[in-house]
Amino acid sequence: MIRHSKHQPAERRRASAVEAVVALAARQNPGDITTAAIAERVGVTQAALFKHFPTKESILEAVMEWVAEQLLARVAQAAEAAPSPLAALEAVFLAHVAFVAAHPGVPRMLFGELQRTETTGAKRLARTLVRRYGELLHGLVERGRAAGEISPAVDTDAAVTLFVGSVQGLVMQSLLAGSVALLRREAPGVFNVFRRALLPSP
């Protein structure tokens, strides 16, 4: 349980609630997480929790906002530090995997929001995350083509889809196996297969 003083600043209380949801989602279906469970983990009453979040939906929206900010910042930083476009794609792949390994509840929440039939604030944020992530990958593939690292015959949109699908496949396997270690272990090999599909013909 995350215990804090009743005098804790409101912003920290909100952050604690987000952390609680991410942690709870690692162990159970995100849709089954109750406000009572969130409040208990944070160490406050439900009434205190609702002072910062008027509804459960507003909590989920804050969580998805955190996920988007954290993941996009990490992959962008990884890409910027890489010496070339192809190396940047690998850095992004491994940074994404590391983020999921550290927060295994995140993909459950993301998949859950994208599958909801109704439009919510959290779902809009999830869609924005997917779009911005795709734009980053698209730019890296195009830069790789321009630099001669990636074959000009490679379809950029297809490469982006394959990249994202490779990450999602790894995540699904790790969730089914209940093993974060599998995610970390298999990631380099999976990326190497992806990389070979992009390389120019010898």
Side-chain angles (χ1 to χ4, degrees):
M1 180 186 299
I2 307 169
R3 293 202 177 276
H4 299 288
S5 164
K6 65 181 180 180
H7 301 298
Q8 183 187 17
E11 199 57 39
R12 182 58 223 164
R13 285 272 181 96
R14 288 175 58 86
S16 296
V18 169
E19 292 169 9
V21 175
V22 172
L24 289 167
R27 303 199 309 268
Q28 66 183 95
N29 181 353
D32 294 335
I33 297 173
T34 64
T35 54
I38 298 170
E40 180 180 3
R41 187 169 182 87
V42 174
V44 299
T45 64
Q46 284 193 73
L49 182 66
F50 283 123
K51 287 181 180 178
H52 304 287
F53 298 97
T55 63
K56 181 180 177 181
E57 188 59 46
S58 65
I59 300 175
L60 297 178
E61 188 171 341
V63 171
M64 198 53 59
E65 184 177 9
W66 178 87
V67 169
E69 289 177 354
Q70 292 293 314
L71 179 57
L72 289 172
R74 291 193 187 197
V75 297
Q77 183 178 23
E80 289 171 7
S84 71
L86 195 54
L89 283 169
E90 181 174 13
V92 168
F93 191 94
L94 297 178
H96 190 159
V97 167
F99 179 77
V100 172
H103 307 288
V106 164
R108 290 180 176 148
M109 291 184 291
L110 185 58
F111 292 151
E113 288 302 326
L114 291 173
Q115 290 173 11
R116 292 176 69 171
T117 55
E118 69 273 26
T119 299
T120 64
K123 184 175 182 178
R124 283 193 294 270
L125 285 165
R127 284 177 170 171
T128 299
L129 166 60
V130 171
R131 177 181 56 78
R132 291 179 60 191
Y133 191 96
E135 289 170 353
L136 169 67
L137 297 175
H138 192 281
L140 291 175
V141 173
E142 285 294 297
R143 283 172 50 202
R145 282 162 49 98
E149 283 193 315
I150 294 175
S151 170
V154 167
D155 182 299
T156 298
D157 290 337
V160 170
T161 298
L162 183 58
F163 183 105
V164 174
S166 297
V167 175
Q168 290 175 340
L170 274 171
V171 170
M172 290 302 295
Q173 287 185 32
S174 70
L175 289 175
L176 289 170
S179 171
V180 171
L182 180 148
L183 184 64
R184 293 183 181 276
R185 184 176 66 248
E186 299 294 331
V190 170
F191 184 82
N192 282 335
V193 173
F194 173 77
R195 184 211 310 270
R196 286 198 291 272
L198 300 184
L199 295 176
S201 301

